[in-house]
């Protein structure tokens, strides 16, 4: 036969909430101590259910059975609480099979004492039934073992409390809230139980409110987990990672009060101890008020600031990131300060060195430009006079004299060619090469080139084909002289390195943005490993001393620099013994630019 009491509803309600909390947090594992927490909640619900059934049954044996069940669950709940506090405060290492087994010894002994009470009456000195409020209730007089059992339970709860309290004292502000919540949570059942057992409540004796009060503990832990996202950050992790970081870390709330700060940041601030917690950052760091003001209202930033730390100027990289709650609302900001002083010093040194190197290059180019210019004048005289002599205008020369004078002239011409190339290169490097962008008539420009180069084709009996794309506008904007220099270099190479076949010269429209100058030959080709380097100064594919082709190795370097200056690029396709194709792609400009002369310096 069962009896009903309104208290049953209350107890049932606690049981349901405990089960719900157990389920809710089980879903969110793994988190520190979640296993113990869930066990505790399940024990609480069993405690509530057993306590409800104890009230509902009317026989003494029935009541004794459920009271025993209640006590077993009490023991499970307190042991789990204790284990939870250990895991939560980072003492996971203590939660071993051995220690868990150790914790079960006492409950097992207690259970044996309870079940064998009829033989010794040390747990309950007497058990009887009585009637109160129209219900059949029990009167179990507590014996010595019951008090031992109760004392042990209190000891476990208090030990857990103590562990948590130590953690509160040691942990930074950020985590105090959550651990504090746990401590308060655990006080409820303790105080409630003491009142229930020793002082008395207006509630009837047969109703044990402890599991209901214990529920408050569960809810507090739940809140601590949920509200403070304990699953994501535990104090231990913070302790290990944040506190020992070389970078300074400062967490501020929405009102820019310091919520958390690590050792490194305290050092930067020139403060000691954590009494800065809770203080407005602006007050704490009065000296850097100005530097701080730039971050006012800024959620995210990455910048460099110069600070005086320990009377030394230092540079820090500051990274500011917003902290948000689950709904995306700003809850605070986290700032990290990375000391980049050494990095900056190295950067400055590098920059200095680069500037010096640039300056040296400029001086070298200046020197070369001047020298080349000075050399050209006497060389032109040498060429002029020797040509005068070979032309017979200064009288007859013997055959030998004529030959020697002719050699003087041709060597002087090679030298002049080299000097001209060096002059061009150094001009470009010194940024003194000017591009004169003007309208140029494409076909006229091309025809002049063909006439100039036809002789090279004829000398070697080569076919010279040309093609001009009629999709190209008649007039383009460009520097006709420099473009001629590019084309002449490519064409003279093509003729130089082709012994039979054809040299093709094309001017095509590449797309709406680009046009191209393409020079193709059926010559000796360039081996793949040389295709990159031949664009560098003084680089030739054939470096042997028996090289049959003369040249300075500067032509392609000049071509590439000029093409880059013009905002274009050059491509090479070549196959050994088959021939080569040089394609110069250039921006297609049809409008006259505002400034007639563009001064562009390219050093690559
Ligand atoms: P140079 O012709 O004065 O040696 P360049 O800079 O014009 O200097 O050319 C560098 C090298 O690239 C040449 O020595 C040659 O080995 C190779 N090269 C250039 N154009 C061609 C080509 N059309 N066919 C084969 N090799 C070429």
């Amino acid at each position: 036969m069962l009896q009903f009491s309104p208290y049953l509803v209350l107890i049932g309600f606690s049981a349901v909430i405990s089960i719900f909390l157990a389920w809710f947090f089980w879903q969110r594992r793994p988190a520190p101590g979640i296993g113990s927490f869930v066990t505790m909640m399940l024990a609480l619900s069993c405690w509530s259910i057993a306590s409800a059934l104890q009230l509902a049954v009317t026989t003494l044996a029935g009541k004794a059975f459920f009271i025993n069940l209640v006590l077993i669950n009490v023991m499970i709940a307190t042991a789990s609480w204790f284990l939870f506090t250990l895991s939560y405060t980072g003492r996971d290492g203590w939660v071993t099979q051995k220690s868990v087994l150790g914790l079960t010894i006492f409950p097992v002994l207690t259970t044996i004492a309870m079940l064998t009470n009829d033989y010794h009456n040390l747990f309950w000195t007497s058990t009887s039934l009585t009637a109160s409020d129209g219900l059949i209730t029990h009167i179990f007089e507590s014996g010595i073992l019951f008090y031992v059992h109760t004392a042990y339970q209190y000891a476990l709860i208090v030990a857990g409390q103590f562990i948590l309290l130590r953690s509160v004292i040691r942990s930074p502000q950020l985590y105090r809230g959550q651990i504090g919540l746990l401590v308060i949570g655990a006080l409820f059942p303790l105080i409630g139980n003491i009142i229930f057992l020793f002082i008395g409540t207006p509630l009837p004796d047969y109703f044990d409110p402890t599991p209901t009060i214990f529920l408050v503990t569960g809810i507090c832990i739940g809140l601590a987990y949920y509200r403070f996202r304990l699953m994501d950050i535990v104090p231990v992790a913070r302790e290990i990672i944040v506190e020992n970081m070389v970078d300074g870390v400062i967490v501020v709330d929405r009102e820019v009060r310091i919520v958390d700060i690590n050792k490194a940041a305290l050092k930067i601030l020139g403060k000691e101890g954590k009494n800065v917690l809770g203080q407005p950052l602006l007050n704490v760091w009065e000296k850097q008020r100005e530097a701080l003001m730039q971050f006012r209202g800024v959620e995210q930033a990455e910048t460099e600031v110069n600070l005086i730390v320990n009377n030394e100027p230092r540079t820090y990289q500051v990274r500011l990131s917003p902290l948000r709650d689950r709904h995306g609302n700003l809850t605070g900001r986290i700032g990290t300060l990375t000391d980049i002083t050494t990095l900056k010093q190295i950067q400055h040194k590098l920059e200095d060195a680069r500037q010096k190197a640039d300056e040296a290059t400029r001086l070298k180019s200046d020197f070369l430009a001047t020298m080349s210019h000075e050399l050209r004048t006497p060389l032109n005289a040498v060429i002029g006079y020797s040509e005068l002599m070979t032309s017979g205008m200064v009288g007859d020369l013997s055959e030998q004299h004529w030959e020697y004078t002719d050699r003087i002239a041709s060597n002087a011409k090679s030298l002049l060619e080299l000097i001209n190339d060096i002059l061009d290169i150094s001009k470009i490097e010194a940024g003194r090469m000017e591009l004169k962008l003007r309208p140029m008539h494409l076909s006229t420009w091309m025809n002049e080139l063909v006439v100039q180069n036809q002789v090279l084709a004829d000398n070697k009996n080569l076919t010279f084909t040309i093609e001009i794309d009629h999709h190209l506008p008649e007039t383009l904007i460009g520097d006709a002289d420099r473009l001629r220099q590019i084309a002449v270099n490519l064409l003279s190479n093509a003729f130089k390195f082709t012994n039979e076949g054809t040299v093709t010269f094309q001017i095509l429209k590449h797309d709406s943005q680009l046009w191209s100058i393409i020079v193709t030959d059926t010559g000796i080709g360039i081996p793949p490993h040389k295709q990159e380097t031949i664009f560098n100064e003084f680089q030739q594919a054939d470096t042997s001393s028996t090289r049959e082709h003369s040249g300075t190795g500067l032509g392609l370097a000049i071509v590439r620099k000029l093409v880059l200056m013009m905002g274009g690029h050059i491509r090479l396709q070549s196959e050994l013994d088959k021939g080569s194709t040089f394609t110069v792609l250039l921006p297609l400009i049809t409008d006259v630019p505002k400034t007639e002369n563009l001064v562009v310096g390219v050093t690559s």
Side-chain angles (χ1 to χ4, degrees), residues 417 421 489-490 492-498 519 521 523-527 530 533-536 538-542 547 549-559 572 574 579-582:
E417 203 185 305
D421 283 353
N489 262 308
L490 295 179
S492 61
N493 275 345
F495 286 117
K496 187 158 70 175
F497 297 105
T498 307
V519 175
D521 63 52
I524 61 169
I526 302 160
K530 293 277 179 181
T533 53
I534 54 159
F535 290 99
N536 298 337
F538 303 108
Q539 291 295 323
Q540 294 172 322
D542 181 3
R547 178 155 61 90
H549 305 285
S550 65
T552 60
L554 286 173
L556 286 180
I558 296 175
V559 167
L572 164 64
S574 185
S580 317
T581 302
F582 285 87

Side-chain angles (χ1 to χ4, degrees), residues 96-276:
T96 58
Q97 258 182 348
K98 256 192 199 162
S99 61
V100 173
L101 214 69
L103 274 177
T104 54
I105 294 175
F106 195 88
V108 168
L109 291 177
T110 311
T111 311
I112 295 170
M114 276 180 338
L115 296 177
T116 55
N117 190 57
D118 285 350
Y119 302 101
H120 48 69
N121 289 330
L122 287 173
F123 205 87
W124 313 113
T125 48
S126 73
T127 58
S128 59
L129 290 177
T130 179
S132 79
D133 297 343
L135 295 171
I136 301 172
T137 61
H138 67 283
I139 300 175
F140 279 26
E141 293 296 339
S142 311
I144 174 86
L145 287 184
F146 177 82
Y147 288 115
V148 173
H149 151 84
T150 310
Y152 177 75
Q153 303 314 314
Y154 285 155
L156 271 186
I157 296 177
V158 172
Q161 285 276 40
F162 178 72
I163 290 171
L164 280 182
L165 265 173
R166 259 172 58 127
S167 219
V168 175
I169 295 160
R170 288 185 177 183
S171 61
Q173 188 87 357
L174 187 65
Y175 305 98
R176 283 197 188 161
Q178 43 182 263
I179 304 180
L181 204 58
L182 298 184
V183 175
I184 293 169
L187 274 178
F188 273 95
L190 212 61
I191 297 168
N193 200 260
I194 291 171
I195 294 172
F196 174 71
L197 281 182
F198 302 107
I199 301 169
T201 62
L203 295 167
D205 282 348
Y206 56 82
F207 170 65
D208 171 8
T210 324
T212 316
I213 301 173
F214 230 120
L215 201 58
V216 179
T217 317
I219 291 170
C220 283
I221 299 180
L223 265 180
Y225 264 128
Y226 202 67
R227 180 100 198 274
F228 296 98
R229 315 284 304 156
L230 290 202
M231 284 120 180
D232 306 336
I233 16 166
V234 259
V236 199
R238 185 219 168 268
E239 200 63 27
I240 293 168
I241 300 166
V242 182
E243 193 61 24
N244 295 320
M245 256 165 82
V246 189
D247 293 348
V249 178
I250 304 177
V251 183
V252 292
D253 64 8
R254 265 193 312 205
E255 278 73 46
V256 202
R257 283 180 305 229
I258 303 174
V259 188
D260 194 6
I261 185 160
N262 72 351
K263 256 191 268 168
L266 279 171
K267 222 170 168 185
I268 299 169
L269 260 68
K271 302 278 168 195
E272 267 172 31
K274 299 231 162 171
N275 53 3
V276 296

Side-chain angles (χ1 to χ4, degrees), residues 212-364:
T212 316
I213 301 173
F214 230 120
L215 201 58
V216 179
T217 317
I219 291 170
C220 283
I221 299 180
L223 265 180
Y225 264 128
Y226 202 67
R227 180 100 198 274
F228 296 98
R229 315 284 304 156
L230 290 202
M231 284 120 180
D232 306 336
I233 16 166
V234 259
V236 199
R238 185 219 168 268
E239 200 63 27
I240 293 168
I241 300 166
V242 182
E243 193 61 24
N244 295 320
M245 256 165 82
V246 189
D247 293 348
V249 178
I250 304 177
V251 183
V252 292
D253 64 8
R254 265 193 312 205
E255 278 73 46
V256 202
R257 283 180 305 229
I258 303 174
V259 188
D260 194 6
I261 185 160
N262 72 351
K263 256 191 268 168
L266 279 171
K267 222 170 168 185
I268 299 169
L269 260 68
K271 302 278 168 195
E272 267 172 31
K274 299 231 162 171
N275 53 3
V276 296
L277 292 173
Q279 311 262 348
L281 183 59
L282 272 175
N283 294 1
V284 175
W285 217 3
E286 186 75 34
K287 273 195 291 184
Q288 301 297 344
R289 190 166 260 273
E290 225 166 274
L292 287 173
M293 284 316 254
Q294 61 176 304
F295 300 108
R296 227 185 138 151
V298 179
E299 278 188 19
Q300 202 152 10
E302 189 165 343
T303 180
E304 283 170 19
V305 290
N306 293 314
L307 303 174
I308 304 283
V309 175
N310 284 337
N311 297 326
E312 257 182 65
R314 307 215 60 97
T315 310
Y316 286 89
Q317 181 171 49
V318 178
R319 272 198 210 94
L320 198 66
S321 317
L323 294 174
R324 298 184 193 284
D325 63 12
R326 280 173 306 118
H327 308 290
N329 302 322
L330 188 77
T331 52
R333 285 173 293 165
I334 178 162
T336 54
L337 293 135
T338 315
D339 190 341
I340 52 165
T341 316
T342 325
L343 196 73
K344 278 273 130 188
Q345 281 163 354
I346 295 172
Q347 250 175 26
H348 280 139
K349 277 190 191 148
L350 276 177
E351 181 58 22
D352 273 2
R354 198 186 65 81
Q355 270 177 9
K356 278 188 189 138
D358 278 358
E359 180 62 11
T361 312
R362 205 185 55 74
L363 286 175
K364 180 200 81 182

Side-chain angles (χ1 to χ4, degrees), residues 359-372 423 426-427 429-432:
E359 180 62 11
T361 312
R362 205 185 55 74
L363 286 175
K364 180 200 81 182
S365 303
D366 265 3
F367 169 76
L368 276 176
T370 323
M371 277 298 288
S372 314
L423 183 66
S426 41
K427 259 193 187 167
E429 279 184 355
R432 293 208 310 218

